[in-house]
């Protein structure tokens, strides 16, 4: 049943769907990051799929994980259809630009409003720049914070204190 | 005869507020430490008179790096961190995380039946405490302090029972990969039945005090109405989504554990306002009580942990007396449970909605990436869109019924 | 001599009154807030110790209870709240996160709220049981009576400095 989602995607987008697989009962498609908005809009609007809900949007930093190729960061979208209850996971692989510039991908806020904060979080934690995002600011950390803490190369205990006072 | 001066209230025509009392937009801070907020959240409001024009909701004051910490912990060591995600219903987080790891290990179907029932029981007890806290605190913020005391009194009974089960009042860490850490105490069933009766009685008292209370109803009815389409587009799940009329409950739509064996209803609202969110939670408490009654009747005897030395610690007698047992214990503690490489998204019904865990494993004993999908993050993300046009006083019940839990929203 | 004797007795009486009518300001951030609710609710009833009245503004409070994890983002806020409180004031770190950061040792969690404000009583536990908090409250009451709270000691130090400079007697209060 669920494999039909991946078939539909492949029919519709052909080469832009780079790979599809399913394990543990989760359907997953890796798509071309340049066409992510198109793919998402199709998934939402297609009368057969109707993926109306963006359940989750997160990023995986694959630094140190050797099985990936094509990009250091995976932007992962979990979608659910409210009509049929089917789910699908869409992935887009993005890489850092030359000289460590932040990776970029198009924002899916025009498709699902709920993506707004999730994308802000992804920016905050991983430094993924979402083009056309209405308000891309840090959300969990403070503005003074330097770097993106959930990246694998950010040390876990590297604090950047705002205030410290000594009371002895 | 002196001249008579007639005092009176000017009519609307004589007294045009817009003209006579012009207001300029003013910026005020609500929070970060506001008494009517359960956690620390800061709302920068632009107000005109009493009406909110714009609101910028800032979260992240309780960012404790669950995801970073869990990359450095073994799969078992993540359990205490999950306790502190949604700290109002820790057991539900424990269960959700355990189910995710089990799915990745491929042992979901082998979990003993008794363990599944125990998970349902402790999970539903936690759900009741979650909703009771939300209702109690939400009413307290509207001035109904006695409701808070009634709700906390009922919560205390459940906590005492959970303490007997797990040893901790709040942060239980009771569930393990492959089952639960210990069996229910011997006289658990009669005690639970007593508590169910007492909580039912408390709920009746709560209803009498609250449901026909004019002040309460006036502040809840018709405030912050959300349509079903909007709620879905925002990614709302759980009681807040159901209040808009969408009957999506993970326990019914994608049954996990043994939820398909219980007879329970999924309450849905019709208007999607604050009162519906309140009413859905209230009804869910009653449904959970009914699930508890059924579960305690159906629970079979048997083991509470899966029989698999790769996942479960050997019994202490083996650890101290055999070399195999000791090595096994040592490896499981130091290296953790070896989870095959892969990734999984597993979802359960948490206190606030769909609690998802997306775990990426690289084959070692520690998660490569452990993402939690926090239900109230998506819910609170809709708040900036709901604020314009509201009165300042409406923010309090709206925020209260969204039930933002800092630990879960900011992680 | 007589003046010193009476003013010391007056200070004792004042502190006796203070310790049984603590106006607390709960700075609730995290999980410990659940236990704080339980503490305020009928079963454990912190009112028995005269500290039942949560003030919702730090300006009206003399006991700041830091309930839960303090993150780096929260540090400046906590400091400002403490600065808004009137002297003499006391601070209680409720739970292990507020005391030391607990098991959150990472880029965001502050290793204890004493990095930004002085703490008088540390209550361990994650979260502490209400009984433990009541014990901590009694310890604080002892401290108030003995004038060993941080703010009181500072007041005494400043007072002694004035006495030394003027080489005279000043009534000791507080």
């Amino acid at each position: 049943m669920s494999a039909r989602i991946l078939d539909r995607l492949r029919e519709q987008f052909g080469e832009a769907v780079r790979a599809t697989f399913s394990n543990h009962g989760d359907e997953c498609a890796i798509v071309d990051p340049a066409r992510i908005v198109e793919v998402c809009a199709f998934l939402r609007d297609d009368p057969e799929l109707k993926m109306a809900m963006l359940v989750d949007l997160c990023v995986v930093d694959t630094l140190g994980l050797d099985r990936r190729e094509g990009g250091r960061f995976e932007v992962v979208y979990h979608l659910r259809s409210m009509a049929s209850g089917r789910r699908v996971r869409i992935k887009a692989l993005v890489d850092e630009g030359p000289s460590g510039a932040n990776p970029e991908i198009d924002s899916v806020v025009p498709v699902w409003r709920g993506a707004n904060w999730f994308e802000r979080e992804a920016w905050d934690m991983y430094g993924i720049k979402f083009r056309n995002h209405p308000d891309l600011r840090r959300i969990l950390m403070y503005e003074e914070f330097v770097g993106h803490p959930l990246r694998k190369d950010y040390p876990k205990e590297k604090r950047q204190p705002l205030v410290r006072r000594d009371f002895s | 005869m002196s001249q008579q001066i007639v005092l009176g209230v000017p009519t609307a025509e004589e007294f045009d507020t817009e003209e006579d009392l012009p207001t300029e937009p003013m910026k005020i801070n609500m929070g970060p430490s506001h008494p009517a907020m359960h956690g620390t959240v800061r709302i920068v409001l632009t107000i005109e008179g009493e009406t909110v024009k714009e609101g910028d909701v800032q979260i992240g004051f309780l960012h404790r790096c669950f995801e970073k910490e869990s990359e450095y912990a073994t799969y078992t060591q993540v359990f205490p961190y999950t306790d502190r995600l949604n700290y109002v219903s820790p057991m539900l987080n424990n269960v959700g995380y355990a189910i995710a790891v089990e799915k990745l290990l491929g042992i979901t179907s082998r979990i003993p039946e008794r363990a599944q029932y125990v998970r349902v029981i402790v999970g539903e007890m936690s759900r009741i405490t979650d909703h009771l806290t939300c209702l109690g605190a939400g009413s307290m913020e509207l001035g109904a302090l006695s409701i808070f005391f009634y709700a906390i009194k009922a919560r205390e009974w459940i906590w005492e029972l959970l303490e007997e089960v797990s040893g901790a009042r709040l942060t239980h860490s009771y569930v393990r990969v492959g089952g639960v850490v210990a069996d229910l105490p011997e006289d658990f069933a009669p005690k639970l039945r007593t508590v169910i009766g007492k909580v039912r009685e408390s709920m009746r008292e709560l209803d009498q005090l609250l449901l026909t209370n004019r002040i309460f109803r006036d502040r809840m009815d018709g405030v912050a109405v959300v349509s079903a389409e909007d709620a879905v587009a925002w990614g709302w799940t759980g009681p807040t989504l159901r209040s808009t009329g969408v009957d999506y409950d993970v326990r019914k739509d994608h049954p996990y554990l043994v939820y398909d064996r219980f007879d329970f209803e999924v309450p849905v609202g019709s208007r999607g306002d604050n009162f519906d969110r309140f009413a859905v939670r209230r009804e869910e408490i009653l449904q959970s009580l009914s699930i508890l009654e059924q579960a305690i009747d159906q629970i079979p005897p048997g083991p509470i942990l899966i029989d698999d030395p790769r996942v479960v610690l050997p019994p202490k007698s083996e650890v101290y007396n055999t070399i195999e047992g000791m090595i096994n214990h040592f490896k499981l503690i130091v290296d953790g449970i070896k989870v095959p490489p892969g990734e999984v998204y597993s979802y359960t019904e948490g206190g606030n909605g769909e609690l998802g865990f997306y775990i990426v494993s690289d084959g070692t004993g520690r998660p490569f990436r452990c993402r939690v999908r926090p239900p109230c993050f998506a819910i609170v993300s809709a708040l900036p869109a709901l604020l314009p046009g509201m009165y300042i006083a409406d923010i309090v019940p709206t925020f209260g019924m969204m039930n933002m839990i800092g630990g879960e929203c900011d992680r | 001599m007589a003046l010193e004797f009476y003013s010391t007795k007056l200070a004792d009486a004042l502190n006796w009154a203070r310790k049984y009518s603590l106006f607390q300001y709960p700075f609730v951030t995290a999980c410990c807030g659940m236990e704080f609710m339980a503490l305020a609710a009928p079963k454990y009833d912190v009112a028995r110790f005269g500290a039942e009245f949560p003030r919702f503004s730090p300006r009206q409070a003399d006991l700041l209870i830091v309930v839960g994890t303090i993150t780096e983002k929260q540090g400046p806020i906590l400091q400002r709240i403490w600065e808004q409180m009137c002297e003499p004031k006391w601070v209680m770190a409720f739970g292990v996160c507020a005391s030391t950061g607990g098991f959150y040792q990472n880029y965001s969690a502050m290793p204890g709220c004493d990095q930004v404000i002085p703490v008088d009583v540390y209550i361990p536990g994650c979260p502490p049981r209400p009984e433990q908090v009541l014990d901590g409250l009694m310890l604080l009451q002892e401290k108030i009576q003995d004038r060993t709270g941080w703010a009181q000691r500072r007041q005494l130090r400043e007072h002694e400095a004035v006495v030394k400079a003027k080489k005279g007697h000043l009534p000791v209060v507080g």
Side-chain angles (χ1 to χ4, degrees), chain A residues 40-131:
Chain A
C40 288
F42 169 75
L43 283 166
R44 184 193 63 180
D45 297 330
D46 186 70
E48 202 182 325
L49 303 178
K50 281 201 231 158
M51 296 287 172
M53 185 188 276
L54 173 71
V55 176
D56 191 19
L57 189 160
C58 66
V59 181
V60 181
D61 180 0
T62 58
L63 190 71
L65 200 65
D66 52 350
R67 68 194 165 94
R68 307 266 189 249
E69 275 170 19
R72 176 178 164 188
F73 296 99
E74 290 179 344
V75 186
V76 186
Y77 305 78
H78 286 103
L79 313 178
R80 181 182 191 271
S81 160
M82 296 314 282
S84 62
R86 288 185 295 175
R87 288 166 185 266
V88 68
R89 178 189 306 148
I90 304 293
K91 278 187 184 184
L93 274 57
V94 288
D95 215 344
E96 284 173 302
S99 68
N102 283 322
E104 291 190 12
I105 190 168
D106 284 321
S107 164
V108 294
V109 175
V111 187
W112 296 284
R113 270 169 285 172
N116 189 329
W117 278 23
F118 284 115
E119 288 185 351
R120 276 177 67 187
E121 191 196 338
W123 157 249
D124 191 358
M125 294 288 130
Y126 286 95
I128 311 273
K129 246 199 173 98
F130 290 89
R131 286 186 290 255

Side-chain angles (χ1 to χ4, degrees), chain B residues 23-46:
Chain B
T23 52
E24 279 180 17
M26 186 170 84
K27 272 200 192 292
I28 61 163
N29 267 312
M30 199 161 179
S33 179
H34 190 274
M37 304 268 163
H38 312 237
T40 20
V41 63
R42 180 179 177 205
I43 309 178
V44 183
L45 295 167
T46 310

Side-chain angles (χ1 to χ4, degrees), chain A residues 125 138-142 145 149-150 154-168, chain C residues 72-76 79 82-83 104-111 114-118 150 153 157:
Chain A
M125 294 288 130
R138 284 191 183 274
I139 186 164
L140 296 180
M141 303 309 291
Y142 34 93
F145 196 84
L150 269 185
Y154 189 92
K156 179 176 158 238
E157 296 198 24
K158 188 182 168 193
R159 293 191 176 89
Q160 301 182 18
L162 289 174
V163 279
R164 281 288 188 274
R165 273 176 71 178
D166 187 23
F167 295 93
S168 46
Chain C
E72 297 292 354
K73 194 173 179 178
Q74 250 166 358
Q79 194 177 10
W82 178 76
E83 280 165 356
Y104 291 105
Q105 298 296 330
N106 51 41
Y107 58 88
S108 181
M110 187 181 280
D114 52 5
Q115 304 280 326
V116 288
I117 56 171
W150 185 86
R153 275 188 287 132
R157 266 204 310 275

Side-chain angles (χ1 to χ4, degrees), chain B residues 110 112 115 176-182 302-308 312-313:
Chain B
R110 286 166 47 211
R176 290 288 183 279
V177 177
V180 293
V181 70
I304 44 134
L305 272 169
I306 189 171
D307 183 24
D308 190 337
V312 175
L313 291 176

Side-chain angles (χ1 to χ4, degrees), chain B residues 169, chain C residues 39 43-44 128-138:
Chain B
R169 278 164 62 82
Chain C
L39 178 74
K43 187 170 178 197
Y44 292 98
R129 296 182 59 93
E131 292 94 331
Q132 237 171 317
V133 184
L134 294 177
D135 187 38
L137 191 68
M138 284 173 349

